[in-house]
Amino acid sequence: MAKIKKKGTSGAAKNYTTRSQALRKLQISLPDFRRLCIFKGIYPREPRSKKRVSKSSTPSTTFYYTKDIQYLLHEPLLGKFRDQQSLAKKISKALGRNEVSGAVRLERNLGVKIKLDHIIKERYPTFVDALRDLDDALSMLFLFASLPSTENVPPKTIAKCQRLTLEFEHYLIRTHTLRKSFLSIKGIYYQATLHGQDILWLVPYRFVQRTGGDVDFRIMGTFVEFYTTLLSFVNFRLYTGIGLVYPPKLDAKSEESGAELSAFTLSGQGEGATETDGEAMVDREAQEKAQAAADELLALPAPASEAEEQASTSAQADQNGDDVDAPETTTTLDAFTSLDPNADTLLQPSLTADVQAAAALFEPFTIFLSRETPRHPLEFILKAFGCKRVGWDTSLGEPGAYCSEDDSRITHQIVDRPDLPLPSPPLTEDGVDEDEMLDDGVDDSLAAAKRPSNVRVPGRVYVQPQWVWDSINAGMLQRADLYAPGATLPPHLSPWVKAKRGVYDPTVSLAEQEAEGEAEEAEGDSEDEERDEEDADEALDEASEGEEIEGVRGDAEARDLEDGLVDDGMDVHLGGSDSEGEEEDEVAAGAAEVDEWGGFSGDEDGEDAASSKEARAHQAELEAEARGLAPGVIADAKKVAKEAAKSKRSKAERDAQEETDRRKLMMPRRKRKMFEKMVYSNAQRDEGAEKLRGKRRKIESGKGKVPAK
């Protein structure tokens, strides 16, 4: 007799296990299980059939791979979690006996400290693997760095997130590896290229954050605990890779005063020289050395031996051991050559071209940030793209500012105010102009003290903050007059959206996007609209002279009807004396004479309208004869052009539709349905793009309404 097969021992039921079964096997609580799964990167799985996987009559909702749970059985953190549970029981017993001092002593002496270094090395065996998973880590840490301290978010966690994110920004400033940025509703997006990997993260705006009760901060706190460890490893490798000591020195007093980036002092290894980011001059030799080291490390994965060294938190670790053991290698990029000599030339990749372009974008400028502008994002972006002289108002934080607003070395000032007028030169007490006083060698501090703060300084370029973002996304400085204070700004477009066929692209001219005959058809539609408007205006003018249009009644007559002064359809004659009748006859005769003459304005309007109609009719006759129409036929030239454009466009569409129908006959039914759905979606896309092009055409021709800022 064959052996009876037991349910749940083979097949899909063997590959999956429920969450309750995993908890019984690991012997831990549900919060600890969730925490352990986040640390190890294990997530629930969705089987194809829950009924086949479930070992009971009631199907479960959460399943995990059996091999993943088996892998967690050997995790050292399980012992730490059990120690925490036993310590919690001891503390609760001490508090139950009212032994508060004993509970504090137990927590201080037997407190369990959890380290995640071994998990970082397990999940990221190479440095490039850690960089690929850095997007979510940076977004989460920048979010917690902007949160207020509450019961769920302790101030130590916020301070640690702020320190790690500022250290990461310092590395981007030093190596000029920031590439793009975008201002969105959610926040500010940044993209940097580190060791050949593109990293994109989101930084929220610095508003007052209000934490809601529907957010589980325990889960988010677990992710933050893991991400802080990961970013510590990454920052250590990045800093030591360019010859800097990690962690950088932090000035507590400057940080309390709002210095932020300027509170850190970078120092090189073995040189003894320090570099303060707020100083005016930068050590050029150290910068070139760091840049050369960064270029050599681009796109090179870290071996497992180096990953083990990253786990060491001691600052006195030997950093030169890798250089001695590792063979000397030079980073060379592949050159892409085409086999066909007539093919297009392929662009060859370059390691230092982007870095040099970013380092020289704002380098020759001295930029001042007004107090209404976001200081930290602008300071970070400007310094990451080469500007080393950034000043701001003392109300934003005095430490680290390069200059004040009255400094004569400022070349650009970023403001977010209405249009600022140019100042008029005031007179001094002796009746001398301020410009003459400056030419005579008088100190400019006196003139700056008398100059109002809401006027421009001659010789200084004033721009709005969007000028900085558009310049770095375009890779070149944009025209400053387009971003002047009070001006309507150009559209701020995402640098990651690539133009697709058939989709409206605001960066390309209309001539390159329009379909064949679309411009002529749109022009004919606009002419028809103008003609209808002219006819409506003429009708209103005639109605204003006393003629009644069917279905239209004047506002004054309507008000009189409401008041009962005029009876609709009835004339009421009021009796009076003969003298009054004679006076009315004289007034009527005078009015008749005036109506016969009409005045200057009436004759001019009539002559202009008649001449314009005759000119249009004559032009239409000439074009009709040129097109071969019968003599005496009057056709509108614009209408003829519009119909010709429509016929030309419809003929091309008919030919394409006939070819498509012939091909559809050879398709299977399933593919034909998919093709019809695709055609429908493409038609909807083309219709939307055509509407956007029509709006742009009206705005460029001056007939549309440009939205105010």
Side-chain angles (χ1 to χ4, degrees):
M1 182 177 178
K3 187 177 180 180
I4 299 175
K5 192 174 183 180
K6 191 176 180 180
K7 182 181 179 181
T9 57
S10 63
K14 185 180 179 181
N15 297 332
Y16 293 92
T17 181
T18 62
R19 189 175 63 182
S20 58
Q21 293 173 351
L23 292 177
R24 286 197 299 267
K25 181 174 287 189
L26 296 176
Q27 294 295 315
I28 57 177
S29 62
L30 180 59
D32 291 339
F33 176 73
R34 289 174 176 170
R35 205 174 165 202
L36 183 62
C37 288
I38 291 174
F39 289 155
K40 300 291 288 185
I42 295 175
Y43 301 97
R45 307 293 179 175
E46 186 71 19
R48 292 184 178 180
S49 176
K50 290 186 177 181
K51 186 176 180 181
R52 293 182 179 180
V53 171
S54 180
K55 300 179 178 63
S56 60
S57 58
T58 304
S60 302
T61 57
T62 306
F63 293 91
Y64 293 87
Y65 282 147
T66 305
K67 290 185 178 181
D68 291 342
I69 304 302
Q70 196 74 19
Y71 173 66
L72 292 179
L73 287 172
H74 307 283
E75 177 56 43
L77 288 181
L78 288 175
K80 297 288 186 180
F81 291 156
R82 297 189 181 104
D83 294 341
Q84 284 183 345
Q85 290 179 357
S86 62
L87 178 61
K89 291 180 181 179
K90 293 178 182 179
I91 292 176
S92 62
K93 288 181 180 179
L95 293 176
R97 294 191 296 265
N98 201 13
E99 297 177 357
V100 180
S101 60
V104 173
R105 186 175 64 255
L106 286 173
E107 186 177 4
R108 182 176 63 252
N109 298 334
L110 301 180
V112 180
K113 295 182 179 179
I114 296 178
K115 297 182 66 175
L116 306 178
D117 298 349
H118 65 286
I119 296 182
I120 298 296
K121 290 190 294 181
E122 287 177 3
R123 293 186 61 177
Y124 309 108
T126 63
F127 183 54
V128 175
D129 294 333
L131 293 179
R132 289 171 182 167
D133 202 16
L134 205 60
D135 299 351
D136 295 336
L138 289 175
S139 299
M140 180 70 75
L141 294 182
F142 273 100
L143 171 62
F144 268 72
S146 62
L147 291 179
S149 60
T150 58
E151 297 179 357
N152 300 319
V153 185
K156 290 185 179 180
T157 302
I158 298 174
K160 189 173 184 180
C161 293
Q162 290 176 352
R163 181 179 60 83
L164 290 174
T165 52
L166 289 176
E167 290 173 356
F168 183 75
E169 288 180 349
H170 261 294
Y171 174 81
L172 299 181
I173 291 173
R174 185 65 181 267
T175 56
H176 305 291
T177 49
L178 187 66
R179 290 292 171 264
K180 298 176 182 178
S181 181
F182 176 64
L183 299 169
S184 69
I185 299 177
K186 297 180 180 179
I188 305 176
Y189 285 92
Y190 296 97
Q191 183 182 9
T193 303
L194 302 179
H195 291 220
Q197 301 297 323
D198 292 334
I199 302 173
L200 179 66
W201 70 96
L202 175 65
V203 180
Y205 294 112
R206 294 201 170 184
F207 297 140
V208 178
Q209 303 286 346
R210 296 181 180 179
T211 57
D214 56 344
V215 180
D216 192 352
F217 281 95
R218 294 181 301 172
I219 302 297
M220 297 182 68
T222 304
F223 277 101
V224 169
E225 184 179 359
F226 175 76
Y227 287 151
T228 51
T229 309
L230 172 62
L231 190 57
S232 300
F233 274 79
V234 171
N235 287 346
F236 173 80
R237 172 64 187 270
L238 292 176
Y239 272 67
T240 55
I242 60 174
L244 295 177
V245 174
Y246 184 82
K249 295 180 181 180
L250 176 63
D251 190 357
K253 293 183 179 180
S254 299
E255 185 185 16
E256 293 176 358
S257 302
E260 295 182 349
L261 286 172
S262 304
F264 289 89
T265 303
L266 307 183
S267 59
Q269 296 177 356
E271 298 178 0
T274 60
E275 176 188 349
T276 304
D277 196 68
E279 296 177 356
M281 302 303 295
V282 180
D283 189 1
R284 294 288 183 179
E285 297 179 358
Q287 184 179 6
E288 292 176 359
K289 180 179 179 180
Q291 187 58 53
D295 295 340
E296 293 178 358
L297 289 174
L298 279 176
L300 289 180
S305 60
E306 294 182 6
E308 294 178 359
E309 290 188 5
Q310 295 174 22
S312 176
T313 57
S314 175
Q316 289 80 16
D318 186 7
Q319 305 298 332
N320 298 325
D322 297 338
D323 299 336
V324 175
D325 299 335
E328 295 183 359
T329 57
T330 58
T331 304
T332 58
L333 296 179
D334 297 334
F336 297 97
T337 58
S338 178
L339 299 178
D340 187 2
N342 299 326
D344 296 336
T345 304
L346 297 176
L347 296 177
Q348 304 300 326
S350 176
L351 289 176
T352 58
D354 295 338
V355 175
Q356 292 175 357
L361 188 60
F362 300 114
E363 185 178 6
F365 303 143
T366 301
I367 301 177
F368 182 82
L369 310 178
S370 298
R371 62 178 180 272
E372 71 276 1
T373 57
R375 174 201 148 187
H376 182 77
L378 286 172
E379 179 190 3
F380 167 57
I381 288 182
L382 291 173
K383 290 183 176 180
F385 281 85
C387 184
K388 299 177 179 62
R389 298 173 295 276
V390 181
W392 53 80
D393 194 84
T394 55
S395 61
L396 302 178
E398 186 174 357
Y402 177 76
C403 58
S404 60
E405 188 175 3
D406 302 328
D407 200 313
S408 59
R409 296 172 293 179
I410 297 176
T411 59
H412 292 71
Q413 183 169 349
I414 301 177
V415 297
D416 197 5
R417 310 175 187 175
D419 191 12
L420 301 176
L422 288 172
S424 57
L427 298 177
T428 60
E429 297 179 357
D430 299 334
V432 183
D433 289 346
E434 182 183 351
D435 297 337
E436 297 178 0
M437 180 178 63
L438 294 177
D439 293 339
D440 295 339
V442 182
D443 188 9
D444 59 349
S445 60
L446 179 61
K450 295 184 178 182
R451 184 187 303 120
S453 59
N454 58 346
V455 296
R456 300 193 183 189
V457 178
R460 186 181 300 181
V461 179
Y462 286 81
V463 292
Q464 299 188 43
Q466 186 180 330
W467 175 76
V468 179
W469 271 270
D470 290 351
S471 297
I472 67 174
N473 292 334
M476 57 184 296
L477 296 176
Q478 301 297 300
R479 290 174 48 186
D481 58 333
L482 300 178
Y483 301 86
T488 301
L489 295 173
H492 182 57
L493 306 175
S494 174
W496 299 287
V497 176
K498 296 182 179 179
K500 297 181 181 179
R501 176 181 167 272
V503 179
Y504 172 70
D505 187 5
T507 61
V508 182
S509 62
L510 284 176
E512 300 178 10
Q513 303 183 67
E514 291 174 338
E516 187 178 1
E518 181 182 350
E520 293 80 0
E521 183 179 350
E523 186 177 357
D525 292 337
S526 63
E527 292 293 336
D528 292 342
E529 292 178 1
E530 290 180 2
R531 194 169 304 156
D532 294 339
E533 291 178 359
E534 291 178 0
D535 296 340
D537 293 340
E538 291 177 2
L540 290 176
D541 292 340
E542 293 175 359
S544 62
E545 293 176 1
E547 298 180 2
E548 182 179 355
I549 303 177
E550 184 179 356
V552 179
R553 187 183 299 272
D555 295 337
E557 186 177 354
R559 287 194 298 269
D560 294 340
L561 284 174
E562 293 177 359
D563 297 339
L565 299 179
V566 178
D567 189 5
D568 191 9
M570 296 180 63
D571 295 334
V572 180
H573 178 72
L574 300 178
S577 61
D578 296 338
S579 60
E580 292 177 356
E582 293 176 358
E583 292 177 358
E584 289 179 359
D585 294 339
E586 293 177 358
V587 172
E593 294 177 359
V594 173
D595 290 337
E596 289 178 0
W597 179 50
F600 291 104
S601 59
D603 290 342
E604 290 178 355
D605 293 340
E607 291 176 0
D608 291 341
S611 62
S612 62
K613 290 181 180 179
E614 291 177 0
R616 284 204 303 266
H618 182 64
Q619 183 67 20
E621 286 183 0
L622 293 178
E623 294 192 7
E625 291 178 0
R627 292 181 180 275
L629 299 178
V633 177
I634 301 176
D636 193 355
K638 299 296 182 181
K639 189 174 181 179
V640 172
K642 177 183 175 182
E643 291 177 354
K646 278 186 176 181
S647 62
K648 185 177 181 181
R649 191 174 178 181
S650 60
K651 184 178 182 302
E653 291 177 355
R654 281 199 308 271
D655 295 342
Q657 185 63 31
E658 291 177 359
E659 180 65 21
T660 303
D661 293 340
R662 284 195 295 269
R663 293 186 178 184
K664 283 173 62 177
L665 293 175
M666 306 300 295
M667 289 184 180
R669 181 177 179 276
R670 178 170 172 270
K671 291 186 177 181
R672 186 169 63 252
K673 293 294 184 182
M674 293 176 61
F675 178 76
E676 290 175 355
K677 290 181 180 180
M678 183 184 67
V679 170
Y680 175 78
S681 61
N682 291 343
Q684 295 291 327
R685 180 198 61 192
D686 296 340
E687 183 179 357
E690 189 173 353
K691 288 182 179 179
L692 292 176
R693 288 195 294 269
K695 292 181 180 180
R696 180 176 176 180
R697 192 179 296 108
K698 289 183 179 180
I699 292 175
E700 290 182 354
S701 62
K703 301 174 184 177
K705 296 181 180 180
V706 181
K709 181 183 176 183

